[in-house]
Amino acid sequence: MNETSEPSGAASARAGVRIVDSADVAETARIGEGSAIWHLAQVREDAELGRDCIVGRGAYIGTGVHMGDGCKVQNYALVYEPARLAEGVFVGPAAVFTNDHRPRAINPDLTPKSADDWDAVGVTCETGAAIGARAVCVAPVTIGAWSMVAAGSTVTRDVVPHALVAGAPARRIAWVGRSGEKLEPASDGTDAWVCPTTGEWYVADETTGGLTLAADAGAEKQDETTDGEHA
């Protein structure tokens, strides 16, 4: 396998980063320790990758894209700027994040479009979100924390936290927990949901329209009560 943990040139200063020789990584890209950039991947100028990220074979990370720690961008996925990925986001093989509302190669006068002829819009992925293989996220959309986009889906509107969405356009078909398992209705007759794998309980989050861990919701209520006592 043709790989190196200390590539030559500008990349040589990236201690603890693995970049194979066939990858194209801009000198101004910032890559965190423990990350790996695989064959034929391209990481553009001023992109910022956190610690322990993986960029698969043939994947593309656009100019100025931000990725938090522990993200995985699988083979041939295309993450166009100005996308922002929080910690632990998974982008499946051949998934695409778009960045243009009205894509055209030319202007009405038939002159070629330049970078100044349009305003890029990005996809935002919150903590722990997962995008399935060959899914397309049409910017600008936000993929909520710990949500999951099914393979082959087309996302045209925001996805709330812990939603499992599928189809074209993608619609919510279930709820998922942090483990990725579908949640089941709680047996106590409330509107809570339970993960069959971890036993974690989830409740409605009025702020986002999605779900949140019951423990987190309880902590927030406690904080609000404490703040009220000191008001």
Side-chain angles (χ1 to χ4, degrees):
M1 185 175 293
N2 187 24
E3 61 186 45
T4 175
S5 58
E6 294 186 359
S8 60
S12 62
R14 297 180 174 123
V17 176
R18 173 175 291 180
I19 303 175
V20 302
D21 292 342
S22 64
D24 181 3
V25 179
E27 294 184 8
T28 57
R30 297 178 294 281
I31 303 173
E33 184 176 357
S35 293
I37 314 297
W38 292 101
H39 298 277
L40 303 177
Q42 183 176 15
V43 180
R44 293 291 303 276
E45 296 78 10
D46 299 321
E48 183 175 357
L49 282 63
R51 297 170 60 92
D52 302 318
C53 290
I54 297 174
V55 178
R57 180 184 180 90
Y60 175 84
I61 307 299
T63 303
V65 166
H66 175 85
M67 293 168 51
D69 295 344
C71 290
K72 293 184 178 181
V73 178
Q74 301 291 79
N75 295 1
Y76 300 105
L78 307 176
V79 181
Y80 288 102
E81 67 277 3
R84 297 189 65 83
L85 283 61
E87 183 177 5
V89 171
F90 175 89
V91 182
V96 178
F97 289 6
T98 74
N99 66 352
D100 196 343
H101 274 307
R102 295 171 290 276
R104 293 289 194 194
I106 57 175
N107 294 302
D109 62 2
L110 304 185
T111 58
K113 275 189 173 291
S114 70
D116 296 328
D117 291 328
W118 60 287
D119 295 320
V121 290
V123 173
T124 299
C125 292
E126 297 178 344
T127 301
I131 314 300
R134 293 192 178 278
V136 178
C137 296
V138 182
V141 291
T142 296
I143 313 299
W146 301 107
S147 62
M148 184 175 293
V149 176
S153 299
T154 301
V155 179
T156 58
R157 59 184 179 181
D158 292 350
V159 177
V160 298
H162 292 284
L164 169 60
V165 301
R171 302 181 186 280
R172 188 182 71 81
I173 59 173
W175 296 109
V176 291
R178 296 190 300 177
S179 69
E181 291 285 347
K182 288 184 181 179
L183 300 180
E184 300 175 350
S187 59
D188 64 353
T190 66
D191 60 355
W193 296 82
V194 181
C195 176
T197 299
T198 66
E200 292 177 332
W201 283 56
Y202 297 82
V203 295
D205 185 343
E206 295 180 358
T207 301
T208 65
L211 299 183
T212 188
L213 274 173
D216 291 344
E220 290 178 2
K221 289 182 179 179
Q222 181 63 39
D223 290 342
E224 291 173 1
T225 300
T226 302
D227 290 342
E229 291 174 352
H230 293 282

